[in-house]
Amino acid sequence: QVQLVESGGGLVQAGGSLRLSCAASGRTVSRNAMGWFRQAPGMEREFVAAVNWSGGRADYADSVMGRFTVSRDSAENTVYLQMNSLKPEDTALYYCAADSRFWVDVPTKELARYDYWGQGTHVTVSS
C-alpha cells in the first residue's frame, strides 16, 4: 500500500507562489506516474499536472500551463508542484495521486487511473 501526504498549501496573494510537496510512504513510488488534482468548492475534481515514472515527461492542464511545474525526487520518494503567478481561480483543495501501474511513460490525466490519493492541502489565493 502507498500512503500519500500533501503539504505546502496556504494563503497567498494573487501573483504569488507556493510549492506543494507530496511525500509517499509504504513503498517506493519511483516506478509510478504521479498526478496532482484539485477541487474547488462545489466543483468536480480536476486534473492539474502529472509526471511520468522517470520524471522525464510531464503534462499540464491548459489553465496552469506555463505557471505550474511538476517534478519528483525519487530518492526522497516525493513529488512537488511549484505554483507561480497564482490566481484567485487556483483556490482549491489540492490532491496528490499515484497511478498504480508501473513504468508509465505518458502520464494520464484520467482521474480514474489513479488508485492512491492523499488527503489534500488547501490553497487559497486572495485577489
Side-chain angles (χ1 to χ4, degrees):
Q1 279 288 355
V2 175
Q3 292 82 44
L4 302 173
V5 178
E6 303 93 338
S7 61
L11 173 64
V12 64
Q13 288 189 331
S17 298
L18 284 174
R19 188 194 196 201
L20 305 185
S21 298
C22 171
S25 62
R27 66 161 175 82
T28 179
V29 293
S30 62
R31 299 166 294 181
N32 302 86
M34 301 292 293
W36 285 96
F37 293 79
R38 68 186 181 186
Q39 188 167 16
M43 305 292 286
E44 293 188 353
R45 195 171 300 190
E46 65 175 3
F47 170 77
V48 175
V51 62
N52 72 349
W53 68 275
S54 68
R57 179 163 180 161
D59 199 3
Y60 299 91
D62 290 344
S63 59
V64 307
M65 187 80 69
R67 300 188 297 122
F68 291 12
T69 303
V70 59
S71 61
R72 65 189 304 159
D73 184 335
S74 292
E76 296 292 329
N77 221 22
T78 301
V79 180
Y80 303 97
L81 184 67
Q82 178 66 44
M83 306 187 296
N84 298 329
S85 303
L86 282 160
K87 304 176 181 180
E89 51 263 44
D90 294 318
T91 294
L93 184 60
Y94 282 71
Y95 296 92
C96 170
D99 186 333
S100 62
R101 300 171 297 169
F102 292 162
W103 318 120
V104 171
D105 272 335
V106 180
T108 182
K109 298 181 179 182
E110 297 180 32
L111 187 149
R113 284 288 192 180
Y114 291 87
D115 300 283
Y116 303 104
W117 292 83
Q119 294 300 306
T121 184
H122 285 280
V123 172
T124 302
V125 184
S126 63
S127 57

